[in-house]
PDB file of all heavy atoms in Angstrom:
ATOM      1  N   SER K 289      51.397  76.819-136.313  1.00 75.00           N
ATOM      2  CA  SER K 289      50.468  76.056-135.479  1.00 75.00           C
ATOM      3  C   SER K 289      49.090  75.951-136.130  1.00 75.00           C
ATOM      4  O   SER K 289      48.574  76.921-136.676  1.00 75.00           O
ATOM      5  CB  SER K 289      50.311  76.725-134.108  1.00 75.00           C
ATOM      6  OG  SER K 289      49.268  76.116-133.382  1.00 75.00           O
ATOM      7  N   LYS K 290      48.478  74.781-136.027  1.00 75.00           N
ATOM      8  CA  LYS K 290      47.110  74.620-136.528  1.00 75.00           C
ATOM      9  C   LYS K 290      46.122  75.389-135.655  1.00 75.00           C
ATOM     10  O   LYS K 290      44.993  75.622-136.044  1.00 75.00           O
ATOM     11  CB  LYS K 290      46.731  73.147-136.598  1.00 75.00           C
ATOM     12  CG  LYS K 290      46.633  72.468-135.246  1.00 75.00           C
ATOM     13  CD  LYS K 290      46.261  71.008-135.390  1.00 75.00           C
ATOM     14  CE  LYS K 290      46.147  70.337-134.017  1.00 75.00           C
ATOM     15  NZ  LYS K 290      45.811  68.945-134.111  1.00 75.00           N
ATOM     16  N   HIS K 291      46.550  75.813-134.477  1.00 74.00           N
ATOM     17  CA  HIS K 291      45.686  76.548-133.556  1.00 74.00           C
ATOM     18  C   HIS K 291      45.794  78.060-133.709  1.00 74.00           C
ATOM     19  O   HIS K 291      45.091  78.799-133.023  1.00 74.00           O
ATOM     20  CB  HIS K 291      46.013  76.170-132.106  1.00 74.00           C
ATOM     21  CG  HIS K 291      45.852  74.717-131.823  1.00 74.00           C
ATOM     22  ND1 HIS K 291      44.627  74.088-131.814  1.00 74.00           N
ATOM     23  CD2 HIS K 291      46.763  73.753-131.553  1.00 74.00           C
ATOM     24  CE1 HIS K 291      44.788  72.811-131.552  1.00 74.00           C
ATOM     25  NE2 HIS K 291      46.083  72.573-131.388  1.00 74.00           N
ATOM     26  N   PHE K 299      42.944  86.315-128.693  1.00 68.00           N
ATOM     27  CA  PHE K 299      43.668  87.544-128.391  1.00 68.00           C
ATOM     28  C   PHE K 299      42.817  88.772-128.725  1.00 68.00           C
ATOM     29  O   PHE K 299      42.674  89.691-127.919  1.00 68.00           O
ATOM     30  CB  PHE K 299      44.991  87.585-129.167  1.00 68.00           C
ATOM     31  CG  PHE K 299      45.737  88.878-129.011  1.00 68.00           C
ATOM     32  CD1 PHE K 299      46.431  89.156-127.845  1.00 68.00           C
ATOM     33  CD2 PHE K 299      45.742  89.821-130.024  1.00 68.00           C
ATOM     34  CE1 PHE K 299      47.121  90.346-127.697  1.00 68.00           C
ATOM     35  CE2 PHE K 299      46.431  91.015-129.890  1.00 68.00           C
ATOM     36  CZ  PHE K 299      47.117  91.277-128.720  1.00 68.00           C
ATOM     37  N   ILE K 306      38.785  93.986-122.775  1.00 57.00           N
ATOM     38  CA  ILE K 306      39.479  94.921-121.891  1.00 57.00           C
ATOM     39  C   ILE K 306      39.163  96.364-122.271  1.00 57.00           C
ATOM     40  O   ILE K 306      38.895  97.200-121.408  1.00 57.00           O
ATOM     41  CB  ILE K 306      41.001  94.657-121.918  1.00 57.00           C
ATOM     42  CG1 ILE K 306      41.303  93.328-121.231  1.00 57.00           C
ATOM     43  CG2 ILE K 306      41.770  95.793-121.251  1.00 57.00           C
ATOM     44  CD1 ILE K 306      42.718  92.822-121.445  1.00 57.00           C
ATOM     45  N   PHE K 317      33.749  93.890-107.686  1.00 31.00           N
ATOM     46  CA  PHE K 317      33.338  92.512-107.945  1.00 31.00           C
ATOM     47  C   PHE K 317      32.707  91.902-106.696  1.00 31.00           C
ATOM     48  O   PHE K 317      32.527  90.703-106.618  1.00 31.00           O
ATOM     49  CB  PHE K 317      34.540  91.645-108.360  1.00 31.00           C
ATOM     50  CG  PHE K 317      35.009  91.900-109.760  1.00 31.00           C
ATOM     51  CD1 PHE K 317      36.151  92.629-109.992  1.00 31.00           C
ATOM     52  CD2 PHE K 317      34.311  91.401-110.840  1.00 31.00           C
ATOM     53  CE1 PHE K 317      36.595  92.859-111.278  1.00 31.00           C
ATOM     54  CE2 PHE K 317      34.748  91.620-112.130  1.00 31.00           C
ATOM     55  CZ  PHE K 317      35.890  92.353-112.352  1.00 31.00           C
ATOM     56  N   ALA K 329      46.228  82.617-121.359  1.00 55.00           N
ATOM     57  CA  ALA K 329      47.162  82.820-122.467  1.00 55.00           C
ATOM     58  C   ALA K 329      47.060  81.660-123.448  1.00 55.00           C
ATOM     59  O   ALA K 329      46.828  80.520-123.065  1.00 55.00           O
ATOM     60  CB  ALA K 329      48.586  82.930-121.937  1.00 55.00           C
ATOM     61  N   LEU K 353      37.329  78.456-124.338  1.00 93.00           N
ATOM     62  CA  LEU K 353      36.130  78.050-125.069  1.00 93.00           C
ATOM     63  C   LEU K 353      35.105  77.412-124.130  1.00 93.00           C
ATOM     64  O   LEU K 353      33.911  77.705-124.220  1.00 93.00           O
ATOM     65  CB  LEU K 353      36.469  77.095-126.208  1.00 93.00           C
ATOM     66  CG  LEU K 353      35.261  76.682-127.056  1.00 93.00           C
ATOM     67  CD1 LEU K 353      34.598  77.895-127.719  1.00 93.00           C
ATOM     68  CD2 LEU K 353      35.659  75.678-128.107  1.00 93.00           C
ATOM     69  N   LEU K 354      35.562  76.567-123.216  1.00 95.00           N
ATOM     70  CA  LEU K 354      34.627  75.961-122.269  1.00 95.00           C
ATOM     71  C   LEU K 354      33.941  77.040-121.429  1.00 95.00           C
ATOM     72  O   LEU K 354      32.725  76.984-121.201  1.00 95.00           O
ATOM     73  CB  LEU K 354      35.348  74.950-121.366  1.00 95.00           C
ATOM     74  CG  LEU K 354      34.482  74.216-120.348  1.00 95.00           C
ATOM     75  CD1 LEU K 354      33.310  73.498-121.011  1.00 95.00           C
ATOM     76  CD2 LEU K 354      35.331  73.230-119.545  1.00 95.00           C
ATOM     77  N   VAL K 365      30.772  81.854-114.564  1.00 94.00           N
ATOM     78  CA  VAL K 365      32.049  81.151-114.493  1.00 94.00           C
ATOM     79  C   VAL K 365      33.136  82.063-113.968  1.00 94.00           C
ATOM     80  O   VAL K 365      33.045  83.292-114.078  1.00 94.00           O
ATOM     81  CB  VAL K 365      32.473  80.562-115.865  1.00 94.00           C
ATOM     82  CG1 VAL K 365      31.449  79.570-116.362  1.00 94.00           C
ATOM     83  CG2 VAL K 365      32.702  81.661-116.891  1.00 94.00           C
ATOM     84  N   SER K 390      46.362  66.406-121.969  1.00 89.00           N
ATOM     85  CA  SER K 390      46.493  64.994-122.319  1.00 89.00           C
ATOM     86  C   SER K 390      45.951  64.148-121.173  1.00 89.00           C
ATOM     87  O   SER K 390      45.611  64.666-120.106  1.00 89.00           O
ATOM     88  CB  SER K 390      47.956  64.631-122.592  1.00 89.00           C
ATOM     89  OG  SER K 390      48.655  64.439-121.377  1.00 89.00           O
ATOM     90  N   PRO K 413      28.913  70.848-100.945  1.00 90.00           N
ATOM     91  CA  PRO K 413      29.278  69.844-101.959  1.00 90.00           C
ATOM     92  C   PRO K 413      29.528  70.505-103.314  1.00 90.00           C
ATOM     93  O   PRO K 413      28.813  71.426-103.716  1.00 90.00           O
ATOM     94  CB  PRO K 413      28.043  68.937-102.023  1.00 90.00           C
ATOM     95  CG  PRO K 413      27.342  69.145-100.720  1.00 90.00           C
ATOM     96  CD  PRO K 413      27.625  70.563-100.316  1.00 90.00           C
ATOM     97  N   GLU K 433      35.478  57.856-110.650  1.00 95.00           N
ATOM     98  CA  GLU K 433      34.086  57.964-110.201  1.00 95.00           C
ATOM     99  C   GLU K 433      33.986  57.679-108.700  1.00 95.00           C
ATOM    100  O   GLU K 433      33.263  58.363-107.978  1.00 95.00           O
ATOM    101  CB  GLU K 433      33.211  56.987-110.984  1.00 95.00           C
ATOM    102  CG  GLU K 433      31.732  57.100-110.661  1.00 95.00           C
ATOM    103  CD  GLU K 433      30.892  56.133-111.481  1.00 95.00           C
ATOM    104  OE1 GLU K 433      31.192  55.928-112.670  1.00 95.00           O
ATOM    105  OE2 GLU K 433      29.937  55.579-110.912  1.00 95.00           O
ATOM    106  N   LEU K 435      36.179  58.332-106.551  1.00 95.00           N
ATOM    107  CA  LEU K 435      36.723  59.516-105.888  1.00 95.00           C
ATOM    108  C   LEU K 435      35.796  60.724-106.014  1.00 95.00           C
ATOM    109  O   LEU K 435      36.094  61.797-105.485  1.00 95.00           O
ATOM    110  CB  LEU K 435      38.096  59.871-106.477  1.00 95.00           C
ATOM    111  CG  LEU K 435      39.222  58.887-106.207  1.00 95.00           C
ATOM    112  CD1 LEU K 435      40.453  59.243-107.035  1.00 95.00           C
ATOM    113  CD2 LEU K 435      39.555  58.857-104.717  1.00 95.00           C
ATOM    114  N   ASP K 455      26.321  68.507-121.560  1.00 94.00           N
ATOM    115  CA  ASP K 455      25.027  68.673-120.894  1.00 94.00           C
ATOM    116  C   ASP K 455      24.799  67.601-119.838  1.00 94.00           C
ATOM    117  O   ASP K 455      24.215  67.880-118.789  1.00 94.00           O
ATOM    118  CB  ASP K 455      23.890  68.697-121.905  1.00 94.00           C
ATOM    119  CG  ASP K 455      23.893  69.977-122.741  1.00 94.00           C
ATOM    120  OD1 ASP K 455      24.391  71.019-122.228  1.00 94.00           O
ATOM    121  OD2 ASP K 455      23.413  69.954-123.893  1.00 94.00           O
ATOM    122  N   GLU K 456      25.271  66.383-120.068  1.00 93.00           N
ATOM    123  CA  GLU K 456      25.138  65.313-119.070  1.00 93.00           C
ATOM    124  C   GLU K 456      25.957  65.628-117.814  1.00 93.00           C
ATOM    125  O   GLU K 456      25.526  65.352-116.704  1.00 93.00           O
ATOM    126  CB  GLU K 456      25.603  63.973-119.641  1.00 93.00           C
ATOM    127  CG  GLU K 456      24.671  63.378-120.657  1.00 93.00           C
ATOM    128  CD  GLU K 456      25.188  62.061-121.224  1.00 93.00           C
ATOM    129  OE1 GLU K 456      25.923  61.340-120.511  1.00 93.00           O
ATOM    130  OE2 GLU K 456      24.859  61.759-122.382  1.00 93.00           O
TER     131      GLU K 456
END
Side-chain angles (χ1 to χ4, degrees):
S289 171
K290 67 180 181 181
H291 301 292
F299 175 76
I306 290 168
F317 285 104
L353 183 61
L354 181 55
V365 300
S390 80
E433 184 179 322
L435 293 171
D455 290 333
E456 288 179 29

